[in-house]
Each structure stands twice: as structure tokens, then as C-alpha cells.
Amino acid sequence: MTAEESGAPEAGHAEPQHGYSPNKDNYAKRLRRVEGQVRGIAKMIDEDKYCIDVLTQISAVNSALQSVALALLDEHLGHCVSHAVAVGGDEAEQKLAEASAAIARLVRS
Amino acid sequence: MTAEESGAPEAGHAEPQHGYSPNKDNYAKRLRRVEGQVRGIAKMIDEDKYCIDVLTQISAVNSALQSVALALLDEHLGHCVSHAVAVGGDEAEQKLAEASAAIARLVRS
Amino acid sequence: MTAEESGAPEAGHAEPQHGYSPNKDNYAKRLRRVEGQVRGIAKMIDEDKYCIDVLTQISAVNSALQSVALALLDEHLGHCVSHAVAVGGDEAEQKLAEASAAIARLVRS
Amino acid sequence: MTAEESGAPEAGHAEPQHGYSPNKDNYAKRLRRVEGQVRGIAKMIDEDKYCIDVLTQISAVNSALQSVALALLDEHLGHCVSHAVAVGGDEAEQKLAEASAAIARLVRS
């Protein structure tokens, strides 16, 4: 694998391979559930549900999204970043910097 | 206003009054946008988009939901909790304990 | 109690009364422990300890400080904010806005 | 470099090399400042300072510690994890799993 390929794995590939690709169905399912939860929160507000109960649901959605993010990140480090590191050079530097920036956004969001 | 009314404002009221009630449209709009963002994240994964870009979107959704939660909490403290405190007694204690627990969940989620 | 007194409880008082005042010893003890933990982290780095172990300690300190903050906030809502709300007026508005801003800082830090 | 060396870099080394080693002085300085801030918070409580001001300081300490943690993690990924990945095998797997667990603790703390 060349650095170019690992840098833009989807370009011109019949089967793009991200770390998360084998688990796409699992992510799709988790995100559909999150989407339903968000719709449920909107409904709770529309029906004047008690504020504290709305907040509990929001905390639940944030936890669910954090779990998705941590799983994606784990697979990204184990595939995309690892491939770039094995290749070395600028590609590796860039992937590592990118991953660190994404981690910082997660920690601070 | 009695403690019972402030404790369960929706029961038997034609127009339930929560702190957030006057801003329901605003919340509905923000949550519809969040729902669209979550659907967008599912689509990104389905289309094998780059993992870091997915993570950026998840951080954005978490920030948006936190803002909604903080706004709801602010209105809850200013209305529901304040009414209970003005009435005093067990009602006040309970509302304050409930608000603190919700804050802890938000801080830790 | 006047609004001025609840607004600046320490001014001219022999025994200032904050929500947390009765538990000062407990907070002092918890913060001494946190201070020791931070010194321990500095020592770990000085002794070239393994990075992951340092990160574990930092997460522990953050959790300990969050617990202190949530306990202080709980007492602040139950005393200072509640007094201001009972008095009403600008004082109440200001205390509520201040508490919401502090909650937002905690959620986002 | 062998997997054993990257796995336990301090064992039997005159100059242990962690990712953070070249910046030890910088971390020492930042942690001394954090330690002083924690001592300052204890003093604020001892002197009955206003609760909101104490909370502001706690948020500042948490942010400072998060920045230290993110910098350590960035260097850990760029050195220790990258070396293990270059070597491959169980060592790489273990380092990646360990890093993901540390990231999860940071995001959730």
C-alpha cells in the first residue's frame, strides 16, 4: 500500500477500506437509535414534558454519541493511522496530528 | 401558586408553564437541526467518508446538544426551581436535589 | 435578610455564611489530596513513568475536582441562590445568571 | 529497536525515552502551576471566598490538566504507539488498545 492510497482510501476504490468499514451496520443501527432519541427529545418539549426528564435524555444521547466516537477513533488509530505510521514520513505525521486534533475536540466537546 | 402546581405544572392545565415553554419553537428548530446532523453522520458512514470528518460532526452534535441542555437548565432554574424555592419546604429541597443531579449528569456525560 | 446581605455575605460579618461553610474541613481535606495527586503526577513525569499511567492519574484528578465543584455548586444553589430567589428582584436574576454561567463552564471544561 | 524495548523503554536504560521526555521541563512547570492553583482554591475556601469564584478556578484547573493530558497523549501516539505499530504484532495491538482506553477515560472524566 502506498502513502497516497492510505491517505485517500476512497478515491477510485470499489471497496473503500476504513477502520470502521466492517462494522458499518453496527454504526448505522446505533445512529438510527440516536436519531430516534433526538426526535423523542423534540417531542418531549413539544408536549411540555418535565425539563429534568428532557435533560436526562440529552445526557443519554451525548453518552451514546461519545461511545460511537470512541469506537470510530479506536478503529481509525488501528487502521488508518497505523498504516500511515508503517509507511512513515509526512503522511504519518499528518495522520497523527489529525488524530490528536480530533481527540482534543472530543475531550473538549 | 401552590407547591403542587409548581411541582406538576402540566396536570390539568390548559397551558402548562415550564421555564422553556415560551421558547418551544426555538428548541424545536435546534433539535430538528441536530436530528438532521445525526442523519448526516449515518450517511457519512454509509458512504465511507473519512473517519476524522465523522468525528468532527459528532463533536459538533455534542456541542449543539450541550447548548440546548444548558439553555433548558437555565430556564428550569429561573422558573421551576425558583418557584419551588419561593414556596419552600420539601418541594424546594426536592427540586434543588433534582437540579443538582441533572447538572452532575451533564458535567459527566 | 436584605438583598445586600445575601449578595455579599462576607462583608462585615464575623462568621461569613456560604453554602459550603459548614463543610470547609471536608473540602480542605479533598483539595489537599488533589494537591498531593498533582505533585505525584509531576514526580511521575520527572521519573519518566509510563505515559498512560500519567494520563490515568490526570483523569483521576479531573474527576476528583469535578466532584468538589458539583458539591460546591449544590450548596451554592441551596443557599446563596435560594436566598436571592426568596428576596427576588435583580439580585435573584443576577445570582441565577451567574450560576448558569458557572454550570456552562463546568460542562465545557 | 525490539518490541521489548519499546514496551518497557525505561528498563535498563540510562536515558529512558518517552515521547514526552524532551519536554519534561515544560510539563514540570505546567504542573507546578496547577499545584499552586489547587493550593489557591483550598485557600479561597478557607477564607470563605465566593463560591462562584471558586468554581471558576476549578474549571481553569481542569482545562489546564486537560491540555497537559492532550499534549502527553499526542507525544505518546507519535512515539511509543508509533514504534509499537512499526514493530507490529501483539505489542502494537496492546499499545493501541491501551491508548484507546486512556482516550476514553479522558473524554469521560
Side-chain angles (χ1 to χ4, degrees):
Chain A
M1 179 190 254
T2 70
E4 282 73 25
E5 280 171 350
S6 84
E10 61 267 33
H13 278 228
E15 290 177 46
Q17 275 304 320
H18 289 296
Y20 66 73
S21 296
N23 301 316
K24 275 170 67 168
D25 287 354
N26 177 265
Y27 287 113
K29 203 166 123 186
R30 290 163 81 173
L31 287 166
R32 262 200 308 275
R33 190 160 51 223
V34 168
E35 196 192 320
Q37 284 175 297
V38 174
R39 205 158 35 230
I41 293 168
K43 193 159 172 283
M44 288 175 84
I45 287 182
D46 185 53
E47 294 174 352
D48 291 290
K49 295 297 185 206
Y50 186 47
C51 180
I52 294 292
D53 298 332
V54 180
L55 292 176
T56 301
Q57 284 306 305
I58 293 179
S59 292
V61 170
N62 272 337
S63 292
L65 282 173
Q66 266 182 5
S67 291
V68 169
L70 290 169
L72 284 170
L73 187 63
D74 176 66
E75 296 180 326
H76 182 66
L77 291 174
H79 292 247
C80 214
V81 176
S82 291
H83 289 167
V85 164
V87 171
D90 287 355
E91 179 72 15
E93 296 264 330
Q94 188 215 315
K95 288 286 178 233
L96 285 163
E98 211 179 59
S100 284
I103 294 165
R105 279 193 298 273
L106 278 180
V107 168
R108 290 180 176 136
S109 79
Chain B
M1 181 192 254
T2 71
E4 282 73 23
E5 281 170 350
S6 85
E10 61 267 34
H13 277 229
E15 292 178 43
Q17 275 304 321
H18 289 296
Y20 66 73
S21 296
N23 301 316
K24 275 171 65 168
D25 288 353
N26 176 266
Y27 287 112
K29 205 167 121 185
R30 290 164 81 172
L31 287 165
R32 260 198 311 276
R33 191 161 50 222
V34 167
E35 196 193 320
Q37 284 175 298
V38 174
R39 203 157 37 228
I41 292 168
K43 193 157 171 284
M44 287 175 85
I45 286 182
D46 185 53
E47 294 175 352
D48 290 291
K49 294 297 184 204
Y50 187 48
C51 180
I52 295 291
D53 297 333
V54 181
L55 292 176
T56 301
Q57 284 306 305
I58 293 180
S59 292
V61 170
N62 273 338
S63 292
L65 281 173
Q66 266 182 6
S67 292
V68 169
L70 290 169
L72 284 169
L73 186 63
D74 176 65
E75 296 180 326
H76 182 66
L77 291 174
H79 291 248
C80 215
V81 176
S82 291
H83 289 167
V85 164
V87 172
D90 287 355
E91 179 72 15
E93 296 263 332
Q94 189 215 316
K95 288 286 179 232
L96 285 164
E98 209 179 59
S100 283
I103 293 164
R105 278 192 298 274
L106 278 180
V107 168
R108 290 178 176 137
S109 79
Chain C
M1 181 191 256
T2 70
E4 282 73 25
E5 280 170 351
S6 84
E10 60 267 33
H13 278 228
E15 292 179 43
Q17 275 304 321
H18 289 296
Y20 66 73
S21 296
N23 301 317
K24 276 171 66 168
D25 287 354
N26 178 265
Y27 286 114
K29 202 166 124 186
R30 290 163 81 173
L31 288 166
R32 261 199 310 272
R33 190 160 50 223
V34 167
E35 197 194 319
Q37 284 176 298
V38 174
R39 205 157 35 227
I41 293 167
K43 193 157 171 284
M44 288 174 86
I45 287 182
D46 184 52
E47 295 175 350
D48 291 290
K49 294 296 185 206
Y50 187 48
C51 179
I52 294 292
D53 297 332
V54 180
L55 291 176
T56 302
Q57 283 306 304
I58 293 179
S59 292
V61 170
N62 272 338
S63 293
L65 281 173
Q66 266 182 6
S67 292
V68 168
L70 291 169
L72 284 170
L73 187 63
D74 176 66
E75 295 180 325
H76 182 67
L77 291 174
H79 291 248
C80 213
V81 176
S82 291
H83 288 167
V85 164
V87 172
D90 287 354
E91 178 72 15
E93 296 263 331
Q94 188 216 315
K95 288 286 179 233
L96 285 163
E98 209 178 58
S100 283
I103 293 164
R105 278 192 299 272
L106 277 180
V107 169
R108 290 177 176 139
S109 79
Chain D
M1 180 189 254
T2 70
E4 282 73 24
E5 281 170 350
S6 84
E10 61 267 34
H13 277 229
E15 292 179 44
Q17 275 304 321
H18 288 297
Y20 65 72
S21 297
N23 301 317
K24 275 171 66 168
D25 287 353
N26 178 265
Y27 287 113
K29 203 166 124 185
R30 290 163 82 173
L31 287 166
R32 260 198 310 274
R33 190 160 52 224
V34 168
E35 196 194 318
Q37 284 176 297
V38 174
R39 203 157 36 228
I41 292 168
K43 192 158 173 282
M44 288 175 85
I45 287 183
D46 184 53
E47 295 175 351
D48 290 291
K49 294 297 183 204
Y50 187 48
C51 179
I52 295 291
D53 297 332
V54 180
L55 291 175
T56 302
Q57 283 307 305
I58 293 179
S59 292
V61 170
N62 272 338
S63 293
L65 281 173
Q66 266 182 5
S67 292
V68 168
L70 290 169
L72 284 170
L73 187 63
D74 175 67
E75 296 180 325
H76 182 66
L77 291 174
H79 291 248
C80 214
V81 176
S82 290
H83 289 165
V85 164
V87 172
D90 287 355
E91 178 73 14
E93 295 264 331
Q94 188 216 315
K95 289 285 179 233
L96 285 163
E98 208 178 59
S100 283
I103 293 165
R105 280 193 297 273
L106 277 180
V107 168
R108 290 178 176 139
S109 79

